């Protein structure tokens, strides 16, 4: 199918007719397009971190770190973020941000500079187009305290933020729980409503007014934003006060200040404004287009619809992936012409206009080899060149027979949760196992002699108990037979809740669909896992004798082996595997030509589990006649390509789940951290091979109940055509296994205790708070202060904010610290080790940090001394006392692996 994209006037979309403003822009900025642009990028750093420029008189002007997160609505910005990948190498993202009031010329200049900056950096960065109010999760992740939209811009004569300037008066309207934005509004009670939070910024003092209907998470986010303004824009010297809108009488001094500045209230405040909807319904409609120009016209040729495969992308071309308008991604082949690569961003913008998509539609441009995780997730399979994973060995994931396992050192798994996560193993499977079968909708204990034998007509509950950091941990597997009744599957889930309650909610629950058993499930049965296609394991029930039975054996050691019953027909053989053919008189061990020696050894061991009869080894191609007779005669069979296909690891992605308005919705959290797990939320972590559902302690009961359905809906509607029976792991806050925590950097199990409401009045940065520290900002902050008496009389001042045109007043006041507002970190910014002061540091401050990045006073050689006992055991996998007994070389080795060296 080949079609021309037409503009609104019905003419083909062409360079000459549809992009006159860009043509004029390019002509106007011909100097920018010349080879002299190396001067423009001379000061661009290629070190990891964040850099921001604004467009001023069509030139790139650097924004100081103190101004990061502040965006003038009349300007355009270029944002470069370079990240250091694990192992080696860097990746870069270049964004150009368009303010709602910015000019066409500025937008054109920003687009040209982004293209040139991309070329300057070798063409590898991912390019993003950002529109005010519709920024991507990736962009927002750089400013975890939120974005501040400021009126005006360079052209209006208003200058960008200066540190330590106090003649300021503005009112900021703060919205959002996950992605926070603060917009300057009129300094008046007319701007205030009951549902949101407002910051009255008066330079030396900031008053936070919490709407009566705002929630705890929103309040915490607003506190972080207020502290961010204080630390970056006021050099830490402004003071902050809190007013609860529902209890204003409790803060009389602050209310006097607010009334003096905002005026007297003449009536009730406006009702709460509904929050923006989550990002989008997961879009199952994905189309791949080849986009090129022919005689000045843009030609769009549809190549394929979902699920897409990587081989559709040719290195000599450029493509657009369209998710039904929710996002547009451009892929540039390495062999595409320079002109095609440079025009990619413009073509995407033109495509959006021609399709009549909203101007805020997300646009990303990436080069072959530099694809984003979101882009790869749209493809059924994706292989990166020379990709390695885990311990440096290249292997496929998801198909157990082809996975190369490593020898497990339990201490190392617990000290390195990222290894546990990659291997999907919480331990070496040496813990205790207990198995129940669902019988008459109740649980019945299974005879330990038959552990590992699972029948397709049954449902089972398997409780696994292991030790970590001297504490018992539990995993409860719910195994669902393919032929079990709906009532049995429902009863299995119900009984799992009962067992979970007996252990006070500690078990991690894992749904296991027959044939899709996760790695750890295989390992706990020590190479004796047998899956019978039908029948039941109930005592006294005789399963019908169907004659010969054929079992496919996959695995190379006792940690990854299982035998699965298949139809006893020759067409089910596979040259890559070992098969066991069990007849009334004999058990044949059939070795395919493609199986390894290890697989043969495990096949022999499995034959002893399945049959006490004599065994006869049969090599592929040397089968006796009786073998084919038992299988109903010879038939062609082939290699199962599904088993041989490599499935390399995809980058994990975290989503906030919501079932509002009857649709499953999700909001992605980019560059996620543990602090993004809010105890009021249900979160979905997609590691491709498994889906984790994390449920906070205060999560909505309905959403918790619907979590399983949500996860299954996510898999069912995934544009890459995911396996709907992939394992789903249900994790409750406070009981996270290392297979979950390993996907997070510097996990701190002690963190949750700092998120109760009493900590709203502490400084949630630096120590144990998990708050965001702005780029270039201090690593610790003074506490929040209450107002106590002092001079509260308004004094006239010249405002720098254009948020209101009427005469404004600033407030000068004397403030004193309140004992009830004790800081959670040492106020002076220096740190002494835990042994002397009893103060502990957030692991994120000291793990994988260079000595220059450490908080002042931290000894780089003794970082472990600044960890709480819980964080110490989580990171190093052992107690402090046991650690000190180890030899120095072993201590150093463990510290290196934990990022503490």
């Amino acid at each position: 199918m080949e079609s021309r994209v037409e503009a609104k006037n019905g003419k083909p979309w062409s360079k000459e007719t549809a992009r006159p403003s860009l043509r004029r822009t390019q002509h106007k900025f011909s100097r920018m397009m010349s080879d002299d642009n190396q001067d423009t990028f001379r000061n661009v750093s290629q070190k990891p971190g964040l850099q921001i420029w604004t467009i001023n008189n069509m030139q790139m002007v650097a924004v100081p770190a103190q101004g990061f997160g502040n965006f003038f609505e009349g300007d355009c910005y270029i944002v470069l973020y370079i990240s250091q990948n694990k192992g080696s190498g860097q990746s870069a993202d270049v964004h150009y941000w368009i303010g709602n009031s910015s000019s066409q010329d500025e937008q054109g200049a920003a687009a040209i500079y982004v293209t040139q900056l991309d070329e300057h950096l070798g063409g590898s960065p991912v390019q993003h187009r950002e529109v005010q109010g519709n920024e991507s999760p990736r962009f927002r992740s750089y400013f975890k305290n939120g974005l501040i939209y400021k009126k005006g811009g360079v052209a209006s004569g208003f200058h960008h933020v200066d540190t330590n300037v106090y003649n300021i008066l503005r009112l900021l309207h703060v919205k959002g729980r996950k992605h926070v934005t603060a917009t300057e509004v009129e300094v008046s009670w007319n701007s205030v409503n009951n549902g949101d939070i407002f910051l009255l910024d008066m330079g030396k003092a900031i008053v936070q007014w919490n709407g009566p209907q705002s929630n705890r998470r929103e309040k915490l986010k607003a506190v972080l934003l207020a502290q961010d303004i204080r630390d970056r824009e006021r050099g830490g010297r402004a003071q902050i006060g809190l007013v609860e809108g529902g209890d204003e009488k409790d803060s009389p001094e602050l209310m006097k200040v607010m009334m003096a500045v905002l005026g007297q209230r003449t009536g009730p405040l406006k009702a709460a404004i509904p929050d923006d909807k989550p990002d989008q319904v997961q879009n199952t409609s994905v189309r791949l287009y080849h986009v090129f120009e022919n005689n000045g016209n843009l030609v769009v040729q549809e190549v394929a619809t979902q699920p897409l495969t990587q081989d559709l992308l040719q290195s000599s071309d450029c493509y657009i992936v369209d998710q039904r308008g929710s996002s547009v991604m451009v892929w540039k082949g390495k062999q595409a012409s320079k002109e095609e690569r440079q025009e990619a961003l413009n073509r995407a913008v033109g495509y959006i206009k021609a399709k009549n998509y909203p101007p805020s539609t997300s646009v990303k441009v990436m080069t072959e080899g530099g694809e984003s995780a979101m882009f790869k997730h749209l493809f059924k399979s994706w292989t990166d060149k020379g990709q390695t994973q885990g311990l440096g060995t290249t292997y496929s994931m998801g198909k157990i027979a082809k996975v190369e396992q490593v020898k497990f050192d339990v201490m190392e798994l617990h000290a390195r949760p990222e290894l546990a996560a990659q291997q999907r193993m919480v331990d070496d499977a040496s813990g205790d196992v207990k198995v129940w079968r669902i019988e008459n909708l109740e649980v019945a204990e299974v005879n330990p002699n038959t552990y590992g034998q699972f029948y397709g007509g049954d449902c089972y509950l398997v409780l696994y108990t292991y030790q970590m950091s001297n504490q018992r941990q539990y995993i409860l597997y719910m195994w669902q037979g393919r032929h079990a009744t709906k009532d049995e599957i429902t009863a299995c889930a119900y009984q799992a809740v009962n067992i979970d309650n007996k252990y006070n909610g500690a078990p991690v629950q894992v749904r296991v669909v027959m044939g899709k058993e996760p790695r750890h499930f295989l390992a706990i049965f020590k190479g004796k896992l047998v899956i019978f296609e039908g029948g039941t394991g109930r005592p006294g029930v005789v399963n019908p004798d169907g004659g010969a039975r054929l079992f496919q054996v996959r695995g190379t050691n006792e940690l990854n082996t299982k035998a699965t019953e298949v139809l006893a027909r020759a067409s089910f053989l596979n040259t890559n595997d070992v098969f066991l053919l069990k007849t009334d008189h004999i058990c044949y061990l059939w070795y395919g030509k493609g199986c390894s020696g290890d697989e043969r050894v495990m096949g022999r061991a499995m034959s002893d589990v399945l049959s006490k009869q004599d065994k006869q080894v049969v090599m592929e191609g040397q089968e006796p006649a009786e073998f084919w007779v038992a299988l109903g005669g010879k038939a062609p069979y082939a290699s199962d390509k599904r088993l041989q296909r490599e499935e390399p690891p995809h980058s994990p992605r975290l989503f906030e789940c919501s079932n509002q308005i009857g649709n499953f919705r999700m909001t992605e959290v980019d560059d996620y951290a543990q602090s993004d797990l809010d105890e009021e939320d249900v979160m979905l972590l997609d590691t491709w091979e498994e889906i984790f559902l994390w449920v906070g302690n205060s999560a909505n009961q309905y959403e918790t109940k619907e979590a399983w359905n949500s996860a299954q809906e996510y898999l069912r509607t995934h544009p890459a055509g995911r396996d709907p029976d992939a394992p789903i792991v249900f994790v409750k806050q406070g009981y996270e296994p290392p297979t979950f925590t390993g996907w997070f950097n510097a996990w701190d199990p002690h963190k949750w205790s700092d998120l109760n409401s009493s900590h709203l009045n502490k400084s949630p940065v630096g120590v144990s708070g998990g708050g965001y520290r702005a780029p270039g900002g201090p690593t610790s902050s003074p506490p929040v202060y209450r107002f106590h008496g002092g001079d509260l009389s308004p004094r006239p001042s010249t405002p720098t904010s254009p948020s209101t045109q009427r005469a404004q007043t600033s407030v000068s006041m004397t403030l004193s610290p309140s004992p009830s507002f004790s800081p959670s970190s040492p106020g002076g910014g220096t740190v002494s080790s835990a042994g002397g002061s009893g103060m502990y540091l957030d692991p994120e401050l000291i793990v994988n940090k260079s000595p220059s990045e450490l908080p002042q006073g931290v000894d780089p050689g003794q970082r472990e001394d600044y960890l709480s006992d819980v964080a110490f055991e989580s990171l190093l996998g052992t107690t402090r006392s046991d650690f000190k007994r180890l030899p120095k070389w072993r201590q150093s080795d463990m510290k290196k692996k934990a990022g503490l060296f």
Side-chain angles (χ1 to χ4, degrees), residues 741-818:
T741 64
W743 297 108
F744 292 79
N745 186 36
W747 181 271
D748 177 14
H750 203 53
K751 199 179 206 74
W752 308 125
S753 61
D754 288 325
L755 279 182
N756 57 55
S757 58
S758 65
H759 283 70
L760 278 174
N761 299 328
K762 294 186 180 181
S763 175
V765 296
V767 179
S768 301
Y772 163 71
R773 297 184 315 285
T779 56
S780 62
S781 304
V784 183
Y785 290 84
R786 276 194 196 276
F787 291 81
H788 287 278
D791 179 8
L792 294 172
S793 57
R795 296 176 184 173
S797 145
T798 304
T800 60
S801 167
S803 57
T804 177
Q805 299 304 315
R806 62 182 175 80
Q808 298 171 326
T809 56
S810 179
V811 178
S812 171
M813 55 196 69
T814 305
L815 306 168
S816 61
S818 163

Side-chain angles (χ1 to χ4, degrees), residues 160-178:
H160 287 268
V161 65
D162 291 320
T163 310
N164 305 337
V165 171
Y166 298 108
N167 57 335
I168 286 172
L169 180 61
R170 62 179 177 173
L171 184 64
L172 294 173
H173 179 190
V174 183
K175 283 188 72 69
R177 295 172 64 243
K178 274 287 183 287

